[in-house]
Amino acid sequence: MSFEENMNRLNEIVRLLENDKLSLDKALDYYKEGIGLSVECQKTIENAKLTVRAMNGAVENEQG
């Protein structure tokens, strides 16, 4: 899934977890899924940061 899809699913999971009618087992399933999605989003963000830094370094080397 894309970053945006992961974020949308995370938002959906938050809404589901806010529902006090969930069973404990279902809430734990959603929580586990949310943690996995959160890790994936964080990896995507870190990779984007590295890409931007590399691009900025390349531009600085060309200008320097």
Side-chain angles (χ1 to χ4, degrees):
M1 287 197 300
S2 70
F3 177 80
E4 290 78 12
E5 290 169 327
N6 285 341
M7 288 300 295
N8 286 335
R9 179 62 181 153
L10 272 172
N11 285 326
E12 182 180 345
I13 288 170
V14 168
R15 285 191 299 275
L16 290 167
L17 287 172
E18 289 174 340
N19 179 352
D20 62 351
K21 300 201 188 302
L22 282 178
S23 69
L24 178 59
D25 286 339
K26 194 63 178 172
L28 288 172
D29 288 343
Y30 285 136
Y31 183 78
K32 182 178 178 181
E33 182 184 356
I35 292 296
L37 291 168
S38 176
V39 167
E40 287 302 312
C41 287
Q42 188 60 38
K43 286 180 189 177
T44 301
I45 291 169
E46 290 304 316
N47 286 335
K49 286 180 183 179
L50 291 173
T51 299
V52 169
R53 286 184 189 132
M55 291 170 55
N56 284 340
V59 169
E60 289 174 5
N61 287 338
E62 289 176 8
Q63 293 176 352

